[in-house]
Amino acid sequence: MSSELTLKKGHELRALLDGGEVSSVEVARAFLDRIDEIDSKINAFLTVTADLALEQAEAADKRIREGRVKPLTGIPVGLKDLLVTKGVRTTCASRILENFIPPYDGTVVAKLREAGAVFPGKLNMDEFAMGSSNENSAFGPVKNPWDLERVPGGSSGGSAASVAACEVPLALGSDTGGSIREPASFCGIVGVKPTYGRVSRYGLIAFASSLDQIGPMTRDVKDAALVLDAICGHDPKDSTSIMKEATDFAGALSGDIKGVRIGVPKEYFVEGLDPEIERAVKDAIAKLEELGAEVKEVSLPHTEYAVAVYYLLATAEASSNLARFDSVRYTTRVDGSDLIDTYKKTRAAGFGEEVKRRIMLGTYALSAGYYDAYYRRAQRVRTLIARDFAEAFKEVDVICSPTVASVAFKHGEKTSDPLEMYLSDIFTIPLNLAGLPGLSLPCGFSGEGMPIGLQMMAGPFREEVLLKTAYAFEEATDFSRVPGL
Amino acid sequence: MKISKEEVEHVASLARLEFSPAEIETFASQLSSILEYVEKLGELDLAGVEPTAHVHEIVNAFRDDVVTPGLTNEEALMNAPYPEDGCYRVAKVIEGE
Amino acid sequence: MKWELVVGLEVHAQLLTDTKIFCGCSTSFGAPPNTHVCPVCLGLPGALPVLNRKVVDFAIKVGLATNCTVARMSRFARKNYFYPDLPKGYQISQFELPILEHGYLGVLDDGGAPKDIGITRIHMEEDAGKLVHPETPGADYSHVDLNRACVPLLEIVSEPDIRSTGEALQYVKKLREILVYLGVCDGNMNEGSMRIDANISVRPEGQEEFGTRAEIKNVNSFKSLEQAIIYEQNRQIDLIEDGGKVVQETRLFDADRGITLGMRSKEEAHDYRYFPDPDLLPLVIEDEWVEAARDTLPELPDAKRSRFRSQYSLPDHDADLLCQSIDMADFFEEIVTLHDDPKAASNWIMGYVLRDMSKDELHSVKDAPITPSHIAGMLDLIKAGVISSKIAKDVFDAMWATGKEAKVIVEEKGLTQISDTSEIEGIVDEVLAANPDEVAGYRGGKTKLMGFFVGQVMKASRGKANPGLVNQLLKSKLEG
């Protein structure tokens, strides 16, 4: 029973729990056993909170008995380790926060607790969410469950790998430039990046505040809709969160996409795109057309500038966001000859190379004499990129593209050249700059058996049409599979 | 855009980071190539294009002037590397900033 | 060569909100260290700021009272620097688009002619925490207390329009008065509620170009401001006349020695790397908000002073003193509505109320043990001849000490003035009989002895005899 349970998706577990066929404690135990059994292979978990999970599971069983059930009551949800969790070590995969135990819950974590979800642990990631391969964790890289030689993608690599490997049915990631969609694509799962402002950032340890969003990483679209319904909503503690009425994304998954207008951006099908991926994505678009969608070409002319804009804006914000790690109030301190020296030694020892590289770049972009040439110019090009999408979404409802130009690459393949690594995010970054919702879902496999991701993007707050379209595709195809670990 | 070793050292100092001479070399070359890449933004004609600081056109988020519960002193200090007398102890600051 | 002084002032005023600018922690003073803190003001990872609406309300009022333009759109920016009292490694402030700009305050120049001191900008920002240096001798460490971190401040930046210490003092006093009038700042400079940085330079008289300026920090009283300007002006003039050059630098004012000192550490030039804070939205203030704030503005100090002069026929000095705070001005006006003698009310306030407030270290007359009705009741008794002005002084002291009304004190202590001619006549007779030599002297032409007789009668009556009657009776008995 135990191994079978871990193959279940969130909504399937919901049905089993509600039908009294299993208890939350049994579910929690099954997944904890699975983690115990295989996590040493993939290194997805930084902290396993078995006691907390079982305690929450017992409380969930009580709620189920009392009929106070919410969609996620009793279901395990893995948390990317940049989600501040009261009383649970939260490291951001950084040495500098190695022993940080937050005295408060972030809003999303609080909402999940409130909903009766079960927390089996905190998931590995690129340090401070900076990376596309999960090779930048201070606590070791995450392995791709489809091929342990390969990266799971990043920065939410632990979230993606844990879901793909059935260590958890549901996980949360965060997406600043593709950090949910890229690992979802590499690990063959569904990952949704909501509209900026849809989900509260309170308690999300910031990388780039104007781009970060928390989102679900799940084995199918229905689960993604369930999780999104549970975590989105206006939060008075986050000034950038948006007032919107309550959502029912799960209830809107009709399977009918007749008349949905699909855009295919010509700038995303260019040289350098892996032919296997191009074929899989084009086949997927043909499938959507077959299901009743209308397909047309669109143009996003400033796509080629997105990576440059992103690496200026995101690093500038990060250089400021990471200034608080100064060893005064928290973080490990390395004593120097005086206060300034202590700051420098602490930060030099506490941050990994990629984090330091980005702090350096961002500090430079903001520094006197360069602000207009770099930061402000990047903000202005950001305006053009957002306009591209606004124009395109006048014509279509959903834009489809590859999520990444390649399948998961091998460990160490791109670590020597930071710029090459940055360029691998070219298809996911523009959406963050425009603040729009998008997702990645499986649409095929490479000849070597690695999953391929289809990216869908929509206009502001149009998650519903996005999820509906993805659901219809998922129902009509069979790419949602479990790796044979 | 080439960035010199001296500039790297200056930026490192602003960011309160410390590097070995070898790391400075590496950063100078990596940052130079990244900055060279972002030069492409210079190709665009940006006349009349406003910068985007917030992607949605929303304004004005407020809270009311009402006291809400915060953290206890114990909670505030629970992660401090050197708590002392209810405070965070740090090396003495030399006058000036 | 004749030198001209050029001063611009940056005043930081702490606002009287109940909670901090970006979180719900209390701003009250005196709590144990690090107890008015939360994830936001501690700068914990993941915490986010949300703007206190009242800070904006207060800023708009200050802008209206200082003739500023309220920006329709303003923005918060991050000022990045490392310091242990700055939890996030940046201060949330305003940079490119402050909430208020282009204001001014009127002062009188040294020749007595009116002039305006321009206000470049006023912006909102959060305060830093406090570094406490332990008393332990040789302690090479500090303690960080973050109770004050994130307390709201307005930074009020003047143009370099100030040309003398007199103008500087008037400007700051006026500003302080306005802030206190508006109820947005308590104006207590010794508690740090108002802190001043002065940008000071000198230039040869007639030269248009400004000299190099020094920024003087830590100027925290009117006296310090005056001393700092004079010291810095002389230092710079001496330096230039000796062939030296003023360097642009930040200097600290040492109040104990009355001098300014260069700072020891030679950090790299400041590069604050300002950029718009992505965690806070643009602030848009529509006209309705400004008009609503305008409707709540109190009568401002200048207008009130001028009304006091005309409506109550008070001399400038009285009007100035009474209008130094709204509480005092209201106190005065309430006395006058109960007892219509403005000058008498003003005299009693200036002579006795202010004296006892300062003795008891009271900031506001609202905290005094007496109310306007106490004073009015006492004035009524004087006017009715029930007590003399001299007795009234004792009555005042008793009111202050006990909080009882004048009438009650007069009755309890039997202080009612004696206006009964026969009773006074008896005392006069006794005094004359007891002092035959002085009587003879008076009658022999030493009329100055009248004062002696009055004194004796008053003493014998324990001050209660009506002085007019005493004089009249003495005169008729001695001369009649």
Side-chain angles (χ1 to χ4, degrees):
Chain A
M1 182 69 182
S2 152
S3 59
E4 265 172 57
L5 266 184
T6 59
L7 289 172
K8 301 288 179 200
K9 292 163 186 169
H11 55 90
E12 293 166 347
L13 291 168
R14 171 82 280 128
L16 293 175
L17 288 165
D18 289 349
E21 289 161 66
V22 290
S23 70
S24 306
V25 171
E26 285 170 305
V27 170
R29 286 231 165 85
F31 283 99
L32 288 168
D33 287 349
R34 174 79 179 161
I35 294 166
D36 210 32
E37 182 192 329
I38 60 142
D39 200 59
S40 57
K41 290 187 191 164
I42 60 171
N43 197 30
F45 276 82
L46 293 176
T47 306
V48 176
T49 51
D51 291 346
L52 172 65
L54 291 171
E55 192 184 301
Q56 287 174 315
E58 273 176 38
D61 282 331
K62 182 160 180 280
R63 281 176 69 147
I64 293 168
R65 284 196 301 274
E66 290 167 0
R68 295 182 297 115
V69 180
K70 290 189 177 181
L72 298 183
T73 304
I75 300 182
V77 183
L79 303 173
K80 187 177 181 179
D81 206 21
L82 45 46
L83 295 169
V84 168
T85 315
K86 187 174 180 173
V88 177
R89 192 174 78 122
T90 300
T91 68
C92 257
S94 181
R95 286 272 169 233
I96 212 158
L97 284 177
E98 191 167 2
N99 302 307
F100 180 62
I101 308 224
Y104 80 105
D105 268 336
T107 296
V108 162
V109 170
K111 277 183 178 235
L112 291 179
R113 280 196 210 263
E114 175 65 20
V118 170
F119 299 154
K122 305 299 290 288
L123 296 163
N124 206 345
M125 54 185 279
D126 281 301
E127 183 180 4
F128 285 102
M130 296 177 184
S132 310
S133 66
N134 218 129
E135 291 166 293
N136 298 330
S137 167
F139 309 112
V142 179
K143 312 283 176 58
N144 191 315
W146 290 91
D147 176 354
L148 299 178
E149 299 280 292
R150 292 175 193 259
V151 303
S155 65
S156 311
S159 305
S162 65
V163 170
C166 300
E167 292 180 309
V168 284
L170 313 169
L172 291 183
S174 70
D175 192 315
T176 307
S179 282
I180 286 175
R181 290 159 288 154
E182 191 234 25
S185 171
F186 282 5
C187 292
I189 63 164
V190 175
V192 181
K193 180 246 169 230
T195 307
Y196 184 80
R198 184 66 108 167
V199 180
S200 170
R201 294 184 298 114
Y202 188 79
L204 165 69
I205 299 180
F207 160 17
S209 315
S210 77
L211 302 162
D212 298 340
Q213 268 300 284
I214 299 169
M217 301 181 76
T218 57
R219 296 207 6 242
D220 70 8
V221 175
K222 196 166 180 185
D223 272 1
L226 279 174
V227 175
L228 195 54
D229 280 327
I231 63 173
C232 72
H234 177 251
D235 179 9
K237 289 183 185 151
D238 174 3
S239 305
T240 63
S241 89
I242 306 244
M243 298 268 195
K244 286 275 171 194
E245 59 282 9
T247 58
D248 182 12
F249 296 129
L253 303 177
S254 61
D256 177 13
I257 56 163
K258 269 200 191 64
V260 171
R261 299 166 304 164
I262 304 278
V264 182
K266 59 180 185 201
E267 292 80 4
Y268 284 58
F269 293 85
V270 287
E271 226 187 279
L273 175 61
D274 182 333
E276 282 185 321
I277 290 179
E278 181 165 2
R279 196 178 327 114
V281 171
K282 292 214 157 138
D283 286 351
I285 292 165
K287 187 75 188 173
L288 290 167
E289 198 163 19
E290 199 182 292
L291 292 170
E294 297 162 17
V295 177
K296 65 187 287 188
E297 188 179 85
V298 292
S299 175
L300 300 167
H302 295 93
T303 303
E304 63 170 303
Y305 301 100
V307 173
V309 170
Y310 176 81
Y311 277 94
L312 289 171
L313 297 183
T315 59
E317 292 180 18
S319 72
S320 176
N321 285 333
L322 270 58
R324 65 186 63 199
F325 301 102
D326 61 3
S327 79
V328 174
R329 291 141 296 130
Y330 42 86
T331 74
T332 318
R333 182 183 294 181
V334 182
D335 281 311
S337 58
D338 59 23
L339 184 74
I340 291 176
D341 197 42
T342 296
Y343 280 167
K344 289 183 177 175
K345 288 201 155 54
T346 294
R347 291 163 62 79
F351 291 138
E353 192 183 316
E354 181 59 28
V355 172
K356 286 190 250 189
R357 185 163 27 247
R358 296 201 194 186
I359 291 175
M360 291 289 286
L361 180 57
T363 304
Y364 183 81
L366 288 175
S367 67
Y370 297 112
Y371 181 83
D372 285 339
Y374 292 119
Y375 190 79
R376 195 189 301 268
R377 176 168 285 271
Q379 279 193 319
R380 294 169 80 189
V381 181
R382 183 176 186 180
T383 305
L384 297 180
I385 289 166
R387 273 188 206 161
D388 284 354
F389 279 102
E391 283 304 309
F393 285 120
K394 284 179 187 164
E395 310 277 319
V396 297
D397 301 303
V398 174
I399 292 176
C400 288
S401 78
T403 308
V404 197
S406 70
V407 294
F409 45 89
K410 298 254 167 75
H411 284 279
E413 202 178 315
K414 293 190 179 185
T415 42
S416 59
D417 185 351
L419 186 57
E420 197 197 335
M421 185 77 90
Y422 295 174
L423 287 169
S424 67
D425 296 336
I426 178 79
F427 296 155
T428 48
I429 279 174
L431 196 76
N432 297 78
L433 293 173
L436 301 175
L439 58 76
S440 177
L441 81 163
C443 71
F445 289 86
S446 72
E448 293 172 307
M450 293 306 294
I452 294 171
L454 169 68
Q455 177 172 233
M456 293 184 179
M457 306 179 264
F461 304 101
R462 299 209 64 209
E463 282 86 350
E464 199 174 297
V465 67
L466 202 59
L467 291 164
K468 189 173 84 170
T469 310
Y471 181 73
F473 178 79
E474 192 182 68
E475 288 287 282
T477 56
D478 182 26
F479 299 115
S480 175
R481 298 179 200 161
V482 173
L485 253 178
Chain B
M1 181 76 202
K2 275 271 171 280
I3 173 166
S4 68
K5 277 196 286 179
E6 290 70 31
E7 278 181 291
V8 173
E9 278 163 3
H10 170 70
V11 173
S13 178
L14 275 178
R16 297 286 188 264
L17 289 170
E18 191 178 70
F19 296 115
S20 68
E23 286 174 309
I24 296 275
E25 290 268 1
T26 312
F27 272 126
S29 115
Q30 287 177 342
L31 293 180
S32 293
S33 72
I34 296 166
L35 289 170
E36 212 166 284
Y37 175 74
V38 304
E39 289 294 306
K40 69 188 285 135
L41 298 184
E43 296 163 6
L44 291 165
D45 176 10
L46 297 174
V49 179
E50 288 297 317
T52 294
H54 287 94
V55 74
H56 301 307
E57 286 187 358
I58 55 167
V59 299
N60 290 11
F62 299 115
R63 34 172 290 273
D64 292 331
D65 187 29
V66 175
V67 176
T68 50
L71 298 173
T72 62
N73 185 255
E74 290 68 35
E75 287 171 323
L77 296 177
M78 64 187 269
N79 288 287
Y82 205 146
E84 189 173 89
D85 300 341
C87 290
Y88 306 97
R89 176 166 155 169
V90 292
K92 189 176 176 167
V93 181
I94 303 160
E95 267 167 23
E97 281 160 21
Chain C
M1 195 189 295
K2 291 205 79 176
W3 296 91
E4 185 179 49
L5 170 73
V6 176
V7 178
L9 298 175
E10 290 168 16
V11 177
H12 286 89
Q14 187 183 312
L15 298 179
L16 285 174
T17 50
D18 290 338
T19 64
K20 297 182 176 183
I21 178 166
F22 297 122
C23 66
C25 291
S26 165
T27 53
S28 65
F29 273 125
N34 299 304
T35 53
H36 288 173
V37 291
C38 74
V40 178
C41 57
L42 287 181
L44 291 188
L48 296 170
V50 183
L51 179 59
N52 182 341
R53 182 196 306 266
K54 194 152 197 186
V55 172
V56 182
D57 278 331
F58 281 3
I60 295 172
K61 283 189 190 182
V62 172
L64 293 174
T66 54
N67 312 293
C68 285
T69 309
V70 180
R72 197 187 161 275
M73 210 267 285
S74 71
R75 230 183 242 293
F76 285 93
R78 294 185 183 178
K79 179 181 183 178
N80 294 284
Y81 66 95
F82 287 89
Y83 208 67
D85 65 5
L86 190 69
K88 298 185 291 296
Y90 58 84
Q91 178 192 28
I92 304 178
S93 180
Q94 296 192 293
F95 183 58
E96 281 183 328
L97 296 168
I99 183 168
L100 302 164
E101 281 185 292
H102 314 305
Y104 62 87
L105 284 182
V107 298
L108 299 178
D109 69 15
D110 287 1
K115 74 176 263 191
D116 289 338
I117 305 297
I119 291 174
T120 317
R121 55 184 278 147
I122 301 179
H123 66 251
M124 302 172 280
E125 62 185 25
E126 57 179 341
D127 204 348
K130 201 169 71 177
L131 282 174
V132 187
H133 306 287
E135 305 276 328
T136 323
D140 58 350
Y141 56 90
S142 306
H143 283 156
V144 183
D145 172 10
L146 296 173
N147 283 347
R148 206 181 66 191
C150 210
V151 161
L153 301 177
L154 285 185
E155 180 173 336
I156 301 152
V157 183
S158 88
E159 291 286 317
D161 288 345
I162 294 164
R163 296 288 174 272
S164 70
T165 51
E167 290 176 19
L169 287 172
Q170 286 177 69
Y171 169 80
V172 177
K173 282 184 178 165
K174 274 212 153 170
L175 191 57
R176 179 181 176 279
E177 212 171 53
I178 287 173
L179 296 172
V180 174
Y181 257 61
L182 295 174
V184 304
C185 175
D186 66 21
N188 292 335
M189 296 181 78
N190 48 5
E191 285 172 13
S193 304
M194 264 181 85
R195 310 193 282 268
I196 304 168
D197 299 336
N199 290 304
I200 300 171
S201 64
V202 296
R203 63 180 170 189
E205 210 161 77
Q207 179 183 307
E208 219 171 281
E209 199 187 320
F210 289 130
T212 307
R213 66 192 160 87
E215 184 182 3
I216 315 300
K217 296 225 174 237
N218 201 27
V219 186
N220 293 331
S221 70
F222 292 119
K223 187 166 159 248
S224 295
L225 178 62
E226 190 171 10
Q227 284 179 335
I229 294 175
I230 292 170
Y231 179 87
E232 188 57 26
Q233 177 182 21
N234 292 334
R235 185 188 73 86
Q236 294 185 9
I237 293 171
D238 289 349
L239 193 63
I240 300 168
E241 289 185 341
D242 289 348
K245 263 188 143 178
V246 177
V247 282
Q248 182 157 346
E249 63 174 339
T250 303
R251 298 175 67 84
L252 281 180
F253 180 67
D254 180 334
D256 294 332
R257 294 193 279 168
I259 62 174
T260 67
L261 295 166
M263 309 235 266
R264 275 174 292 168
S265 70
K266 293 271 173 268
E267 253 309 285
E268 69 263 3
H270 288 309
D271 183 348
Y272 290 127
R273 290 159 282 134
Y274 282 101
F275 72 105
D277 191 333
D279 289 333
L280 289 158
L281 301 179
L283 172 61
V284 170
I285 298 168
E286 304 288 357
D287 291 346
E288 295 78 52
W289 195 351
V290 177
E291 291 319 308
R294 200 189 299 280
D295 290 342
T296 67
L297 286 186
E299 183 180 32
L300 291 171
D302 277 351
K304 198 182 277 288
R305 263 191 290 271
S306 124
R307 179 170 65 81
F308 272 35
R309 284 193 294 266
S310 58
Q311 182 179 343
Y312 301 118
S313 308
L314 290 174
D316 290 0
H317 177 70
D318 292 45
D320 286 354
L321 268 180
L322 294 175
C323 294
Q324 265 177 11
S325 80
I326 278 198
D327 289 350
M328 189 55 88
D330 288 350
F331 189 85
F332 165 80
E333 294 204 277
E334 225 177 304
I335 298 174
V336 174
T337 59
L338 298 169
H339 179 94
D340 188 15
D341 185 348
K343 185 57 188 156
S346 166
N347 289 344
W348 278 93
I349 288 173
M350 294 190 303
Y352 297 91
V353 177
L354 287 174
R355 179 199 68 186
D356 286 0
M357 279 175 65
S358 124
K359 187 187 71 192
D360 293 354
E361 293 175 1
L362 303 178
H363 289 307
S364 165
V365 70
K366 279 187 170 162
D367 303 327
I370 60 168
T371 63
S373 89
H374 284 87
I375 307 265
M378 183 189 75
L379 293 174
D380 287 345
L381 294 178
I382 298 171
K383 195 176 176 201
V386 177
I387 55 171
S388 67
S389 301
K390 187 164 183 298
I391 289 286
K393 287 166 193 166
D394 298 333
V395 172
F396 180 88
D397 290 343
M399 292 195 300
W400 193 274
T402 65
K404 291 177 180 170
E405 290 284 345
K407 218 169 118 189
V408 177
I409 289 165
V410 166
E411 272 168 20
E412 279 178 5
K413 298 199 170 184
L415 293 175
T416 308
Q417 184 166 260
I418 304 166
S419 297
D420 174 346
T421 313
S422 62
E423 195 179 340
I424 295 174
E425 204 171 357
I427 300 170
V428 167
D429 288 343
E430 276 169 33
V431 167
L432 295 182
N435 297 286
D437 293 352
E438 282 74 6
V439 172
Y442 183 92
R443 290 189 173 137
K446 286 189 184 172
T447 51
K448 274 188 184 163
L449 282 164
M450 178 57 86
F452 166 78
F453 294 120
V454 172
Q456 292 298 307
V457 174
M458 293 308 286
K459 197 177 161 192
S461 73
R462 280 183 284 138
K464 293 191 288 184
N466 181 323
L469 275 177
V470 173
N471 262 296
Q472 197 189 319
L473 287 168
L474 276 169
K475 229 171 182 167
S476 74
K477 299 243 174 200
L478 287 164
E479 291 169 14

